[in-house]
Amino acid sequence: MEKSMNNEFLIRRAKKDDKDAFCRLMDEHLQCMYKMASAYLKNDEDVADAIQDTILS
């Protein structure tokens, strides 16, 4: 399955409260979220807080 199609599938499943799909999405995108947050925030604790806030929202 193509990655974007897989993401769309996982997003649809996560919106239906599929916790495994949500966790897979987070696992796949965590590194990207870290890179993005660390480009703006220099403190690792602030980066971790920003990622946590993003995941929770």
Side-chain angles (χ1 to χ4, degrees):
M1 188 180 295
E2 184 180 321
K3 187 170 185 164
S4 65
M5 289 176 59
N6 188 40
N7 278 337
E8 290 173 19
F9 173 77
L10 290 173
I11 290 168
R12 283 195 304 274
R13 296 302 310 157
K15 285 183 175 183
K16 294 180 180 180
D17 291 329
D18 182 331
K19 291 172 181 40
D20 290 330
F22 180 79
C23 288
R24 286 181 55 195
L25 277 169
M26 293 302 102
D27 287 344
E28 288 182 19
H29 296 282
L30 189 59
Q31 185 176 15
C32 182
M33 288 190 285
Y34 180 84
K35 287 180 183 179
M36 181 67 71
S38 65
Y40 290 96
L41 306 166
K42 301 304 176 194
N43 181 312
D44 280 339
E45 290 178 7
D46 292 339
V47 170
D49 287 344
I51 291 171
Q52 181 177 11
D53 290 344
T54 299
I55 291 171
L56 291 175
S57 67

